[in-house]
Amino acid sequence: MAEEKKSCAFRTSIGGQALIEGILMRGPERQAIVVRDQEGNLVEKVEELRLIKDRYPILGVPLIRGTVNFLDSMVKGVKALMYSADFYPEEEAAQPSKLDLWLEKHLSSKKLESAVVTLAVVMGVGLSVFLFMVLPTFLTGGILHFFPGFPMWGRNVVEGLLKIAIFLLYLVVCSRQKDIYRVFQYHGAEHKTIFCYEAGLPLTVENVRSQPRHHPRCGTSFLFVVIFVSILFSSVVFGIWPITSVWLRTLAHLVLLPLVVGVTYEFNRWVGRHDNVAARVLTAPGMWLQNFTTNEPDDGMIQCAIRSLELVLPNEQGKDQW
C-alpha cells in the first residue's frame, strides 16, 4: 500500500460516499449531504434515518441484512448523486425528448424521481452482475469450448482470474476519466476525515490532511471481497456439482449472489470492528485497490467532508462505535 494504516482509538460505524462536488455521510441516526455549489458555498441537507429493519426485524438478521442494506445504500446513494448533480447542470440544456415530455405529463415529480432512482439502481446492479459474474462465465465457456477435456477445477480458476482481471480493468478505466478524478478526491477526503475522527483528533483540515486515504470499509474493498467470495463459493458449488453449461453456471451465480453479498457484508462489519494483524492481512488487497478510487483532496474538499461528518455524529457519544 502507498500509505501505512494508522491505528485507531476506536472504530466508528459511520460511512460515506463521494458525490459530485460533495460528500454523503451516514451515521447511526441520520445522513447528511454536503455539496459545494458553484459560488463556493457549502449546502447542507440532513435527513433522519428510517431503518427498514425497525419495521421488519427479520431483515436485520445476519446474512439477510447484507443484501437489504446494500440495496438501501444503492438507493440512497443514487438519490444523493442526483441531488449533487442539480448544483452543476449542463451548460447547454438539450431539447427534451418525446419520452421526457410524456413522463413529465403523466408522472408527478416525486413519482418521476422514484422511477429514475429505481431504473438507476437496477441498471447499476445489472451492470455489475453482468461485468463481474455473467461476462467471465461466458468468456470462460467460449475459451474452453476449444478444450473439451479441460478439468472442472481449471475452469473455476480461469473464471475466477477473469473476474479479477475485469474488475481491475474496470477500476483502471474509471480512474482515468477526468470527470471522475475530483469525485475520487472527495472519496479520499471522506476516508481521511473518518480516520481523523476514529483517531480521536479534533476535526481540522490540518489533522485530516495527515490521515491515510485508504479505509478497510470502503466500497471498493467491498466489491473486491464480493468477487473473491463469489469465486470461493462457486468453486465449492461447481466442485460438488460439475456444471459446464454456461447458462446453468450463470444461473447458479445469480442464485448464490444474495448469500455472497450477505457473507461479504458480515466480513465488512468484522473488519470494521477489529484492528489487528488478521484484519489487516485480509483487507490488504482491497486497500491496495483504493489507489485507483481515491485521490488526495484539497482543503476545500476536506472542509466539506468534515462538515458532513459533524452533521451525522450521534447525540449520544459512543453510539456509533462498533
Side-chain angles (χ1 to χ4, degrees), residues 55-74:
R55 288 179 290 168
Y56 308 101
I58 192 173
L59 298 182
V61 173
L63 296 183
I64 295 177
R65 63 187 176 187
T67 300
V68 174
N69 289 338
F70 174 74
L71 292 175
D72 182 63
S73 298
M74 285 279 292

Side-chain angles (χ1 to χ4, degrees), residues 188-246:
E190 172 222 327
H191 287 182
K192 283 172 170 283
T193 303
I194 290 176
F195 264 130
C196 183
Y197 172 61
E198 289 180 325
L201 299 173
L203 293 175
T204 65
V205 173
E206 290 75 18
N207 287 338
V208 170
R209 191 188 300 118
S210 64
Q211 301 301 314
R213 72 176 198 267
H214 306 103
H215 200 282
R217 288 188 294 110
C218 174
T220 305
S221 299
F222 181 85
L223 286 176
F224 175 77
V225 177
V226 164
I227 292 173
F228 185 75
V229 172
S230 73
I231 293 172
L232 293 179
F233 276 35
S234 60
S235 297
V236 172
V237 170
F238 297 141
I240 298 173
W241 295 286
I243 302 172
T244 57
S245 168
V246 171

Side-chain angles (χ1 to χ4, degrees), residues 30-221:
R30 66 188 70 89
Q31 73 170 26
I33 301 172
V34 178
V35 178
R36 190 174 294 280
D37 64 19
Q38 297 187 62
E39 285 73 41
N41 303 311
L42 292 181
V43 181
E44 304 171 0
K45 181 180 180 182
V46 182
E47 298 177 346
E48 296 296 321
L49 287 178
R50 297 178 181 177
L51 303 178
I52 192 171
K53 70 177 182 180
D54 294 335
R55 288 179 290 168
Y56 308 101
I58 192 173
L59 298 182
V61 173
L63 296 183
I64 295 177
R65 63 187 176 187
T67 300
V68 174
N69 289 338
F70 174 74
L71 292 175
D72 182 63
S73 298
M74 285 279 292
V75 171
K76 286 182 169 61
V78 169
K79 287 182 178 180
L81 274 172
M82 292 172 58
Y83 175 80
S84 66
D86 287 341
F87 290 92
Y88 293 86
E90 296 181 6
E91 295 182 1
E92 296 182 5
Q95 290 295 324
S97 65
K98 291 182 179 180
L99 176 60
D100 293 332
L101 295 173
W102 185 90
L103 290 173
E104 291 178 1
K105 181 179 179 180
H106 292 84
L107 296 177
S108 64
S109 58
K110 188 173 182 179
K111 288 184 177 179
L112 181 58
E113 179 187 5
S114 178
V116 171
V117 170
T118 301
L119 179 61
V121 171
V122 170
M123 291 181 64
V125 173
L127 179 61
S128 298
V129 170
F130 173 76
L131 284 177
F132 310 131
M133 301 284 180
V134 178
L135 183 59
T137 301
F138 273 78
L139 288 176
T140 302
I143 294 171
L144 299 186
H145 174 74
F146 302 99
F147 305 93
F150 209 74
M152 180 57 63
W153 67 265
R155 177 184 289 268
N156 294 335
V157 169
V158 172
E159 190 173 301
L161 291 175
L162 282 174
K163 286 181 180 181
I164 295 174
I166 291 173
F167 182 60
L168 287 174
L169 180 61
Y170 173 80
L171 292 183
V172 171
V173 171
C174 287
S175 67
R176 294 182 179 275
Q177 303 300 311
K178 292 182 178 179
D179 294 338
I180 301 297
Y181 186 86
R182 286 186 64 83
V183 175
F184 286 171
Q185 284 183 287
Y186 276 99
H187 193 189
E190 172 222 327
H191 287 182
K192 283 172 170 283
T193 303
I194 290 176
F195 264 130
C196 183
Y197 172 61
E198 289 180 325
L201 299 173
L203 293 175
T204 65
V205 173
E206 290 75 18
N207 287 338
V208 170
R209 191 188 300 118
S210 64
Q211 301 301 314
R213 72 176 198 267
H214 306 103
H215 200 282
R217 288 188 294 110
C218 174
T220 305
S221 299

Side-chain angles (χ1 to χ4, degrees), residues 301-316:
M301 295 171 180
I302 293 175
Q303 292 169 356
C304 184
I306 290 174
R307 184 54 186 157
S308 61
L309 177 59
E310 291 173 339
L311 291 171
V312 301
L313 293 178
N315 299 326
E316 178 185 344

